Amino acid sequence: MNILMVSAELAPFAKVGGLADVAEALSRSLAGRGHDVRVVLPLYGSLDRKKEKIRTLKKLPPLSLRVGGRMRDVRYHLRGSAAAGVKVYLVECAGLYDGRGIYTDQNGHGFGDSLERAALHAQAALLLPRLLDWPVDIVHAHDASGCPALLYRDTWYAERPLPGPAATVLTIHNLAHQEVHPPDSTEVLGVPRSLASYPGLLEFHGRLNLMKAGVLAADRVNTVSPNYARETVQDPGYGCGLEQILGSRGAEYTGILNGGDYRTWDPRRDPHLKQNYGPGKLAGKARCRQDLVRELDLQALPQTPICGFVGRLVGQKGVDLMLPIMGRLAEDGFCFAILGTGEKRLEEAVRAVAERHPDRVAFVDRFDEALAHRIYAGSDLFLMPSAFEPCGLSQMYALSYGTPPVVRRTGGLADTVVDAGLAGGTGFVFDDARPEALLQTLRRAEEVFADPTAFAALQKQGMACDFSWEEAAAGYEALYEAALERRRS
């Protein structure tokens, strides 16, 4: 299949969150299975053209595209070699993408012209198949910023079709960010105002909502885990107001679990560890524990666990559940290795706990890739008590490092971690979003940790899990086939 990916992010060079990793890994996996995958994203001014080997595509002429009543000059560029497995095209537009970030400025403020940015990105992406004489089978948009491509597919290109069937797929990574704008913003998109009036695709409670339009326009819609797909339909707290819209798609809305990047996260060959190890030789993990204790200056006891946390310090990650119980557990011998930044109030609260218990709680308030690997390897348990988690990758990596995750039963965490009390257990799972529920689960984990034979069996079962992209890519192939069938019917 010829697959056109429309994404605002792509790892490793244009990354804010998990979308970048998924777009890169999925594209690479699909290309490895014989598909022609081409990714289109903006040429952000922050990118180092020389370092990323970005060159102008001289065979494609400069274009002028209309966005919001204004003509914008556009050039296409290519990253790397034209013979690469995945071709990455970048759209240059002075005044929209140059010298700016992906979603926010340097102060963390969202761009006021985000709709213009998304509209031009979509227009440029949909022009490529004709410019390249490349019939496209699938237009795959990611998140709300990619939804204009789906809208244009069924409006602008309804009368003058794209080359190829161009069936459409929307993958939702961040349902909370929906790109909501005033109804007269249809002028920016260049579509009829009627689309922002009931029952138009864009209309949502008197506003213009790109995500809602994408959900209804796409031939198939998915999110990044089966359980999260169910939650977003059944629970308004997860559906972010779109639960009925998502539910209206019925079987056309599904969940496909993300895969993990085991090229980077593999304790058998991790260059950040002084001692590599695997399920057959867990002694190396004990060495990693000792190294972590020394590096973070912890006074860890052999009979009580070290709990690791790597991630953003935000409410979504369940940090509010951890804070009330960390001091109590530290007094009982638990240790905590916390790496991350985020909300100022949570950073300050974690720092205060670390200052009260310096021998038991280590807090590193920065992004440190190498230390993250050593925390996964050196910890005994990994904390992910998330309020919600569409998929999550950290629990997958914790499993592969023999560090049983402690998770709340939500989203992709419920799809990937089996409680130790069940057959095939790999970690520890709780339901209620309360500190006491997390405390009880950690006490239960402490009991298993005190039994070396039982704990080693739990570790090995977790390390045997394989959440690779091969299975996920096969799921997307089936999704694409279903989208093509719907488009042709």
Side-chain angles (χ1 to χ4, degrees):
M1 279 184 265
N2 291 345
I3 302 162
L4 181 69
M5 294 275 185
V6 183
S7 174
E9 300 181 42
L10 188 69
F13 63 95
K15 178 178 176 178
V16 172
L19 165 57
D21 297 311
V22 173
E24 187 280 328
L26 175 59
S27 298
R28 173 168 38 83
S29 298
L30 289 169
R33 296 168 70 91
H35 303 288
D36 186 346
V37 184
R38 309 193 182 191
V39 185
V40 185
L41 69 158
L43 178 57
Y44 301 109
S46 56
L47 298 182
D48 186 329
R49 299 193 190 194
K50 184 176 181 180
K51 176 184 176 182
E52 300 300 337
K53 299 179 181 178
I54 297 170
R55 58 185 177 84
T56 303
L57 266 178
K58 295 181 179 179
K59 69 176 183 179
L60 298 184
L63 301 174
S64 290
L65 304 181
R66 182 181 297 277
V67 177
R70 176 179 173 183
M71 300 305 295
R72 297 275 191 175
D73 293 331
V74 167
R75 287 302 307 259
Y76 290 97
H77 302 261
L78 185 70
R79 178 177 183 260
S81 168
V86 176
K87 295 182 177 64
V88 178
Y89 296 90
L90 298 110
V91 180
E92 179 183 15
C93 180
L96 274 187
Y97 307 129
D98 54 330
R100 308 172 74 185
I102 296 178
Y103 303 115
T104 61
D105 61 23
Q106 59 185 6
N107 297 315
H109 299 135
F111 295 124
D113 58 357
S114 63
L115 190 60
E116 287 92 335
R117 290 159 66 92
L120 187 129
H121 180 196
Q123 289 184 38
L126 292 182
L127 280 171
L128 263 180
R130 195 174 301 281
L131 291 171
L132 297 171
D133 193 23
W134 181 66
V136 60
D137 296 300
I138 299 293
V139 176
H140 188 163
H142 294 267
D143 270 348
S145 61
C147 286
L150 311 178
L151 184 66
Y152 292 148
R153 168 66 182 87
D154 285 343
T155 53
W156 291 8
Y157 291 95
E159 300 300 327
R160 46 191 180 97
L162 291 162
T168 53
V169 169
L170 169 64
T171 296
I172 300 171
H173 306 262
N174 184 355
L175 187 57
H177 185 70
Q178 300 178 11
E179 282 287 350
V180 179
H181 300 273
D184 59 3
S185 299
T186 49
E187 181 182 352
V188 174
L189 291 169
V191 297
R193 176 68 183 268
S194 59
L195 289 179
S197 301
Y198 184 81
L201 278 179
L202 288 162
E203 191 279 332
F204 192 66
H205 299 298
R207 306 273 286 172
L208 180 154
N209 187 312
L210 282 186
M211 183 72 88
K212 182 251 186 178
V215 169
L216 293 179
D219 292 308
R220 281 292 186 275
V221 184
N222 80 291
T223 190
V224 291
S225 72
N227 190 56
Y228 187 63
R230 289 188 291 272
E231 289 174 339
T232 53
V233 170
Q234 298 171 358
D235 189 334
Y238 293 105
C240 300
L242 293 180
E243 56 276 2
Q244 292 184 357
I245 303 295
L246 292 166
S248 71
R249 295 304 306 264
E252 294 175 344
Y253 173 52
T254 56
I256 299 176
L257 191 69
N258 285 339
D261 182 6
Y262 293 115
R263 300 175 308 164
T264 303
W265 297 93
D266 183 347
R268 295 171 299 178
R269 54 182 66 91
D270 190 330
H272 300 296
L273 310 182
K274 292 182 179 178
Q275 179 70 55
N276 294 116
Y277 64 94
K281 47 177 184 178
L282 280 172
K285 182 169 175 61
R287 166 70 188 277
C288 291
R289 187 185 200 266
Q290 295 169 2
D291 291 339
L292 184 67
V293 165
R294 283 193 292 269
E295 181 174 3
L296 298 182
D297 197 21
L298 293 170
Q299 298 297 316
L301 302 174
Q303 69 272 24
T304 49
I306 300 173
C307 300
F309 176 94
V310 176
R312 292 177 295 125
L313 297 180
V314 294
Q316 182 219 327
K317 297 299 181 181
V319 181
D320 288 306
L321 302 187
M322 295 162 45
L323 284 167
I325 64 174
M326 285 173 60
R328 197 184 329 176
L329 288 169
E331 291 171 358
D332 292 342
F334 275 70
C335 284
F336 295 86
I338 311 295
L339 173 64
T341 61
E343 296 176 21
K344 185 176 180 180
R345 68 174 183 89
L346 293 176
E347 287 187 12
E348 292 176 348
V350 173
R351 188 174 295 108
V353 176
E355 289 172 353
R356 288 196 300 270
H357 304 277
D359 294 341
R360 297 280 191 259
V361 181
F363 174 42
V364 181
D365 57 345
R366 65 174 186 268
F367 175 77
D368 188 323
E369 180 79 7
L371 178 57
H373 284 247
R374 293 193 289 274
I375 289 175
Y376 277 100
S379 298
D380 303 303
L381 302 170
F382 192 85
L383 300 178
M384 282 191 77
S386 303
F388 68 93
E389 196 69 61
C391 178
L393 294 174
S394 295
Q395 81 278 14
M396 299 181 189
Y397 301 145
L399 289 167
S400 72
Y401 278 67
T403 307
V406 179
V407 306
R408 202 171 80 78
R409 197 189 315 273
T410 182
L413 301 178
D415 289 316
T416 51
V417 181
V418 179
D419 188 77
L422 302 174
T426 57
F428 300 90
V429 184
F430 67 101
D431 290 290
D432 295 340
R434 297 182 298 108
E436 284 300 320
L438 174 58
L439 176 63
Q440 292 169 9
T441 306
L442 286 170
R443 292 296 189 196
R444 187 158 56 91
E446 182 184 19
E447 292 177 2
V448 179
F449 181 72
D451 182 341
T453 301
F455 194 74
L458 184 69
Q459 289 176 297
K460 290 177 181 178
Q461 285 177 158
M463 296 177 84
C465 294
D466 181 11
F467 300 105
S468 69
W469 269 104
E470 280 302 301
E471 184 174 348
Y476 277 98
E477 287 175 334
L479 193 71
Y480 294 159
E481 292 290 352
L484 284 165
E485 183 178 348
R486 184 177 188 266
R487 179 62 59 172
R488 288 165 177 155
S489 64

